[in-house]
Amino acid sequence: MSLRSVKMSARRGRATLAPAFRAWLVENLLRGADEAAIRAALAERGVPAATIAGALARARGSAELAGARAVAAGLRREALVNRLRRTLRAAAPQIERRPAPSPSEFLRNYWATGTPVILNDVVPRWPAFSRWSPADLRARFGAAEIEMSIGRAGDDDPDVRFKQHVRRTTLGDYVDRVLAAGETNDLYLIANNRNLARPGLAGLLADIVLPAGYFDEARSASCGALWFGPAGTVTSLHHDTSNILFFQVVGRKRFRLYAPDEPQLLAAARGVYSTLDPEAAGSALAECGLDLVLLPGEALFLPVGWWHHVRALDVSISVAFNNFVWPNQFEWFKPGAPG
């Protein structure tokens, strides 16, 4: 096994290894690197042979290394399990599109297995599907006070810094802005704006009929989210800490989905967000994950932990809910949290 690269400089002839070199030595022993390669790398940096031999002897016999090896073995086993899951998922790379199953079937086949699915017969039954449009929302709720996100285009991380972009306005003013904007990520109504819970927009819930047996509908206003914006709005790559059913009412959205155990994303996690951008040229994510366009009238089940990046292809209106009847609090799932 190859050595992890060493960038430290050594003081030639010193009798003991500096702490950074000791840490490097132990890390490479844990990785299973050849001791001859370790000796050679240290010797190239002027460390005396006797110092290297003593450091290796102390590291080999330390209780700390033994404990670290036990932890590393457990991590390797978990990595093998995750690799098996990824290999099995690769056999069926497409997301199923189907009518909504019974609550028990949905729980058994999708919720409990963490499997995304697109339900194609829920939204078309809603009054919202035939009614909602920017003009309709302006006509019915134009005077309602809302919170919008604006000035996003000049920020390379607007979702993480969403509080800096919050402004109050009316829905009528916002609709006019959207229709005049063209394709842009500069303005958006997002989940963090909490607009579906605003009294002035309570009438929107009357246009939504959630699948029977899936949701605790008494909590829909407080557990729902509204997205509304022009073509070009982007939600950066992240995962949620609850299961979500995302309903596309107007326009199309492109989703890029990645499983919770995708190694590249675990390595690049920062909180619930990722430092990676699947739209960047030469992105390392190009060869993994699922790429789909969610059409008007479709609903996407996003299992907890699944990474997703979303781009609106048209003027788009979407809603989502997480007030399922099953326990749905997974705040502890934050592999990108500081250690």
Side-chain angles (χ1 to χ4, degrees):
M1 184 175 293
S2 61
L3 293 177
R4 186 178 72 82
S5 62
V6 56
K7 297 180 181 179
M8 301 85 73
S9 60
R11 186 188 306 161
R12 289 182 177 273
R14 70 179 294 164
T16 59
L17 284 182
F21 270 103
R22 293 201 301 272
W24 174 86
L25 184 151
V26 170
E27 179 182 345
N28 280 288
L29 287 175
L30 282 171
R31 290 170 177 269
D34 183 68
E35 286 194 13
I38 294 174
R39 290 175 186 272
L42 292 172
E44 285 177 5
R45 286 155 181 80
V47 181
T51 301
I52 298 171
L56 279 168
R58 284 188 295 273
R60 285 192 222 100
S62 70
E64 290 81 3
L65 181 60
R69 279 179 165 153
V71 171
L75 293 174
R76 282 194 294 272
R77 287 191 288 270
E78 290 183 14
L80 281 175
V81 172
N82 290 337
R83 180 181 174 185
L84 177 60
R85 289 175 180 151
R86 291 193 300 274
T87 302
L88 294 175
R89 278 197 303 267
Q94 299 302 314
I95 293 181
E96 183 182 7
R97 279 179 158 93
R98 58 158 296 169
S102 68
S104 60
E105 183 184 351
F106 176 78
L107 176 65
R108 180 176 63 252
N109 292 344
Y110 304 103
W111 178 287
T113 61
T115 302
V117 64
I118 293 173
L119 308 181
N120 55 19
D121 68 338
V122 177
V123 179
R125 302 180 192 144
W126 292 3
F129 189 55
S130 58
R131 187 173 194 179
W132 283 9
S133 68
D136 169 69
L137 297 187
R138 180 174 53 195
R140 291 196 290 151
F141 304 101
E145 185 180 76
I146 64 165
E147 185 179 280
M148 65 177 173
S149 294
I150 195 164
R152 291 165 51 91
D155 188 339
D156 60 1
D157 222 352
D159 292 312
V160 172
R161 292 188 285 264
F162 78 92
K163 291 182 180 179
Q164 299 179 19
H165 302 284
V166 170
R167 301 290 186 275
R168 291 292 182 93
T169 187
T170 64
L171 185 57
D173 173 69
Y174 180 76
V175 169
D176 291 340
R177 290 171 182 261
V178 168
L179 295 179
E183 184 171 339
T184 181
N185 190 33
D186 199 56
L187 69 161
Y188 205 6
L189 304 189
I190 62 175
N192 279 321
N193 293 137
R194 308 299 299 163
N195 285 308
L196 207 56
R198 297 185 184 279
L201 296 183
L204 291 177
L205 292 172
D207 293 338
I208 295 169
V209 184
L210 296 177
Y214 285 40
F215 292 94
D216 175 2
E217 297 193 31
R219 297 188 295 121
S220 291
S222 61
C223 296
L226 171 68
W227 283 266
F228 174 21
T233 53
V234 172
T235 301
S236 58
L237 190 59
H238 72 288
H239 71 81
D240 293 295
T241 57
S242 65
N243 292 281
I244 292 172
L245 196 51
F246 186 96
F247 302 91
Q248 189 62 23
V249 185
V250 174
R252 301 166 299 154
K253 281 188 168 174
R254 182 182 185 184
F255 278 76
R256 291 175 170 90
L257 302 179
Y258 307 91
D261 54 4
E262 172 54 48
Q264 296 178 74
L265 290 171
L266 290 173
R270 41 154 192 171
V272 299
Y273 288 90
S274 174
T275 59
L276 301 181
D277 179 1
E279 293 188 325
S283 170
L285 296 172
E287 301 302 321
C288 63
L290 300 165
D291 193 342
L292 66 95
V293 174
L294 196 66
L295 302 175
E298 295 186 324
L300 172 63
F301 174 57
L302 285 168
V304 59
W306 273 74
W307 302 89
H308 48 287
H309 176 282
V310 189
R311 173 177 287 274
L313 304 180
D314 312 297
V315 172
S316 174
I317 305 174
S318 320
V319 293
F321 295 88
N322 67 356
N323 51 310
F324 289 94
V325 295
W326 307 289
N328 196 26
Q329 295 295 325
F330 301 92
E331 284 296 320
W332 51 266
F333 184 76
K334 291 182 180 176

